[in-house]
Amino acid sequence: MINTAIPCSEPWGMLPGSQPVRLFTLRNAQGMKVAISDLGATLVSWLAPDRAGRLGDVVLGHDTPAEYLASTAYMGAIVGRWANRIAGARFVLDGVEYTLDRNEGPNLLHGGNAGFHRALWDAEEDDGGLVMRLHSEEGEAGFPGNVDVTVRYSLDDEGELSIEYGARSDAPTPINLTNHAYFNLTGEPGTDIRGHVVSIESDRFFEVDAALIPCSESLVAGNAFDFRQSAPIGARLDWPHAQLTIAGGFDHCYVLPGTALEGRPVREVARAYDPTSGRELTVSTDQRGLQFYTGNFLDDEPGRNGSRYARHAGFCLEAGAFPNEINRLERDHLIVRPDKPYRQVTKYRLGVAANA
Ligand code: GLA
């Protein structure tokens, strides 16, 4: 009998320089299997049952570490030090201006040139979960502070994958981490996510400029961005809206309910349901922002088992701070200091919908 509480690991190829990469597997009593690599602390695969009990992979992934290194899709990775964009690749902290990597036009995207998603993390089993650790040197991508990051993945028997983030720094620095999993609950490679029915508990989102930097807050009421009542992604993608044209689909941060900047409870904020398989995903987080991204940049991306991923082959629900929030007036809560570590908890739960 398999002890589902202990993650097992296997070799998963080599990085240039002969560094071995490993793949760890978490299992639960429902037969779910979640594979996570120490390359990028990446969620590589999540096998979950459909309404008939058949296992299917609900996240997009590549077959090899080399494909992860070559890709710009950030599939399933932990993204940092700063997830999403920082406008002008700069910010000012305690009177000092910091200049960051410009890896998307004049802006920083997802941690800059190196990024946590391409790093090899230390991994160890911890009380049934998997703990990944990464050291990020002062000056990485231009950020101050030597930072030690911890990400703990754990899977329970109800199908909930918890991701608990922590980071410490020896000097003040902004930190904003997220997981960049692309979900496609059909479990069928090569399909799109237009039929998924999504709800997001939010009445506001950030409109973006042509470089996808948030420029103003906008209400969702009466337009394509309103997911307070569940709606199929495809129908909404077809709804004329200048913001969908700019981004080629949804690539926008929703403002989650609650005014607290810190110490927020973990609460359910979004759901996605796939009518074909009956699978349902629930997202809970203590963060203020939720980036809804419909895989608009996917363009013949190498997928699992030789498949290819086209535009809208997957969607992401990335919990974190608001993009470019470090350049907003109210941003002290984003600064990690030696006596103030970074914390985040986000949970993805997979099941079969009650009426499926
Ligand atoms: C995020 C961004 C997108 C895109 C993807 C990665 O979700 O918001 O614009 O950069 O990552 O391709």
Side-chain angles (χ1 to χ4, degrees):
M1 185 177 148
I2 297 168
N3 182 347
T4 55
I6 298 178
C8 58
S9 86
E10 58 190 294
W12 197 47
M14 294 277 186
L15 294 184
S18 302
Q19 284 171 294
V21 181
R22 296 194 75 77
L23 203 55
F24 298 79
T25 308
L26 303 174
R27 298 161 195 267
N28 76 1
Q30 297 179 31
M32 279 186 184
K33 283 187 208 168
V34 173
I36 297 158
S37 175
D38 50 6
L39 176 61
T42 300
L43 172 58
V44 168
S45 155
W46 186 345
L47 295 177
D50 66 4
R51 63 164 71 80
R54 283 181 302 248
L55 291 180
D57 211 324
V58 299
V59 295
L60 306 191
H62 309 292
D63 278 336
T64 63
E67 286 174 344
Y68 278 91
L69 287 180
S71 170
T72 53
Y74 303 85
M75 258 173 212
I78 298 296
V79 177
R81 291 186 189 190
W82 186 274
N84 210 284
R85 297 177 174 82
I86 296 182
R90 62 167 293 281
F91 66 94
V92 175
L93 177 57
D94 299 335
V96 178
E97 173 163 19
Y98 292 92
T99 307
L100 308 171
D101 287 355
R102 298 176 163 202
N103 63 325
E104 193 188 52
N107 306 317
L108 170 129
L109 172 68
H110 291 333
N113 295 329
F116 292 179
H117 63 292
R118 292 209 176 96
L120 196 59
W121 295 54
D122 289 327
E124 72 178 359
E125 184 261 330
D126 157 62
D127 196 23
L130 182 65
V131 176
M132 320 288 273
R133 291 194 178 84
L134 184 67
H135 179 74
S136 169
E137 292 278 329
E138 174 166 343
E140 185 176 310
F143 288 99
N146 292 289
V147 172
D148 286 295
V149 184
T150 308
V151 172
R152 181 175 192 274
Y153 285 97
S154 57
L155 177 69
D156 73 14
D157 284 338
E158 275 68 59
E160 188 161 81
L161 182 69
S162 295
I163 313 178
E164 297 158 82
Y165 304 76
R168 293 188 171 273
S169 176
D170 63 1
T173 191
I175 293 184
N176 174 36
L177 306 179
T178 198
N179 179 282
H180 207 297
Y182 291 71
F183 292 93
N184 181 328
L185 304 182
T186 66
E188 306 289 341
T191 61
D192 66 48
I193 42 83
R194 295 176 61 91
H196 288 60
V197 179
V198 164
S199 60
I200 301 175
E201 199 188 327
S202 168
D203 62 2
R204 278 172 302 149
F205 71 104
F206 286 98
E207 294 201 356
V208 294
D209 65 16
L212 303 179
I213 303 286
C215 42
S216 58
E217 274 182 45
S218 190
L219 295 174
V220 299
N223 65 61
F225 286 79
D226 193 348
F227 286 98
R228 291 174 299 176
Q229 302 289 327
S230 59
I233 295 178
R236 289 306 174 79
L237 283 170
D238 293 339
W239 198 322
H241 194 297
Q243 282 291 310
L244 294 178
T245 309
I246 282 185
F250 292 93
D251 193 353
H252 295 81
C253 184
Y254 282 82
V255 179
L256 297 175
T259 51
L261 301 176
E262 297 181 78
R264 298 162 57 93
V266 178
R267 54 176 292 178
E268 185 182 318
V269 294
R271 274 179 189 241
Y273 168 64
D274 165 42
T276 64
S277 65
R279 294 190 186 95
E280 185 175 52
L281 171 74
T282 309
V283 184
S284 304
T285 187
D286 61 2
Q287 295 295 289
R288 292 212 299 158
L290 190 71
Q291 184 83 10
F292 180 41
Y293 172 56
T294 45
N296 315 326
F297 291 120
L298 294 176
D299 179 16
D300 203 28
E301 184 77 18
R304 190 170 288 112
N305 299 324
S307 65
R308 313 293 293 187
Y309 298 132
R311 193 176 188 197
H312 307 322
F315 66 89
C316 305
L317 288 164
E318 307 157 53
F322 305 146
N324 196 36
E325 192 176 353
I326 187 63
N327 284 315
R328 284 163 66 100
L329 283 178
E330 193 178 43
R331 52 77 190 269
D332 275 0
H333 58 285
L334 303 168
I335 310 299
V336 173
R337 299 180 186 274
D339 61 349
K340 185 172 171 280
Y342 173 87
R343 296 258 173 272
Q344 185 203 145
V345 178
T346 296
K347 298 172 184 239
Y348 294 102
R349 192 175 72 240
L350 262 169
V352 171
N355 56 353

